[in-house]
Amino acid sequence: MVTTPHPAATPRERVDHDDWPALAAEVNEFGCALTRPVLTPAECRSIADLYDDAGLFRSTVDMARFRFGSGQYRYFDTPFPEPVRQLREAFYPRLLPIARDWAAKLGRPAPWPDTLAEWLRMCHEAGQTKPTPILLRYRQGDWNALHRDLYGDLVFPLQVVIGLDEPGGDYSGGEFLLVEQRPRAQSRGTATMLEQGRGLIFTTRDRPVRSVRGWSASPVRHGVSVVRSGRRRTLGLVFHDAA
């Protein structure tokens, strides 16, 4: 049973107090894992309502225009709202051991330093200077095509999306989709209903899976199924900035 987070705790404290060994095991097994609630319903509504304040964002993307699906999203500009900043900074060190473990299994470099600030400095020095925290808004009939959020040569291999509306109440449909190409096999799909306030950790580009030759990189894409009714809003946390 998932309980509502204590309103006196900060988003950072809620992230820190989750069961990270269990989350890491689930991400390793399935490529994604749901956290406990990291935002209260009131905090979710407060963040979702920021969507209408265009001054908080550096750009707005109409998905249909670019054939990304249907719906709209906005990239936050700096400085971020406090809960967004806290969540991004809190998740990074918790995801870092998984990222380094994956790099070791695949025989790849692990360029990610101990702090998010150091990593973003590396991104900026490489020309990736645009902030990537994002608010997404879907209405009835909207959907998101399968894709990967890469944005440049420097990539962090995990990201997080947090539900801001309640499935079954505020909207129906709109499952989060993860599609993984297994080595020498058909693709495997995972559908997750994103509950309000909970975060879904998932693979950004690819992840290690066991094969007959040891470890192989399994490419992964993500998207959102068609929203059948209502309005679905989410907060996306990508841990590398964009070129």
Side-chain angles (χ1 to χ4, degrees), residues 194-239:
L194 192 56
E195 297 174 38
Q196 187 180 49
R198 298 183 73 181
L200 182 70
I201 302 162
F202 64 97
T203 309
T204 300
R205 178 173 57 190
D206 55 22
R207 71 184 191 92
V209 296
R210 286 196 177 276
S211 69
V212 294
R213 298 177 181 176
W215 294 97
S216 296
S218 182
V220 178
R221 295 181 296 163
H222 66 276
V224 175
S225 72
V226 175
V227 174
R228 296 177 179 269
S229 65
R231 180 176 60 178
R232 177 192 188 272
R233 295 166 295 179
T234 58
L235 170 65
L237 301 174
V238 179
F239 299 95

Side-chain angles (χ1 to χ4, degrees), residues 27-208:
V27 170
N28 282 324
E29 179 68 23
F30 301 108
C32 61
L34 275 170
T35 71
R36 297 169 184 165
V38 296
L39 294 171
T40 66
E43 290 167 340
C44 288
R45 290 190 293 271
S46 178
I47 293 173
D49 288 345
L50 297 176
Y51 198 91
D52 295 324
D53 186 350
L56 295 173
F57 303 92
R58 66 172 178 85
S59 68
T60 300
V61 176
D62 186 313
M63 287 191 269
R65 177 184 174 189
F66 297 97
R67 303 185 72 180
F68 294 164
S70 178
Q72 193 180 82
Y73 56 84
R74 287 181 158 171
Y75 288 103
F76 279 103
D77 204 350
T78 53
F80 304 137
E82 185 61 18
V84 177
R85 182 189 68 81
Q86 278 196 35
L87 287 165
R88 201 182 191 207
E89 292 179 358
F91 272 111
Y92 177 85
R94 297 294 182 174
L95 300 176
L96 187 57
I98 305 172
R100 289 172 171 169
D101 174 59
W102 286 7
K105 288 173 177 174
L106 293 172
R108 294 175 175 174
W112 313 289
D114 290 341
T115 69
L116 178 62
E118 292 176 277
W119 169 237
L120 294 179
R121 190 177 305 116
M122 291 172 60
C123 289
H124 296 175
E125 289 172 353
Q128 294 177 213
T129 60
K130 297 177 182 177
T132 50
I134 184 174
L135 272 185
L136 302 101
R137 184 184 68 189
Y138 303 87
R139 293 178 170 137
Q140 183 175 354
D142 288 345
W143 56 285
N144 197 342
L146 294 173
H147 65 284
R148 295 185 285 186
D149 299 317
L150 301 182
Y151 301 131
D153 292 335
L154 296 183
V155 175
F156 193 76
L158 295 147
Q159 60 194 90
V160 179
V161 61
I162 300 169
L164 301 177
D165 292 303
E166 186 60 51
D170 296 316
Y171 68 93
S172 63
E175 295 86 358
F176 182 91
L177 305 175
L178 200 70
V179 177
E180 178 178 70
Q181 177 58 58
R182 310 286 286 180
R184 292 173 295 281
Q186 296 292 330
S187 297
R188 183 178 77 175
T190 302
T192 304
M193 186 59 76
L194 192 56
E195 297 174 38
Q196 187 180 49
R198 298 183 73 181
L200 182 70
I201 302 162
F202 64 97
T203 309
T204 300
R205 178 173 57 190
D206 55 22
R207 71 184 191 92

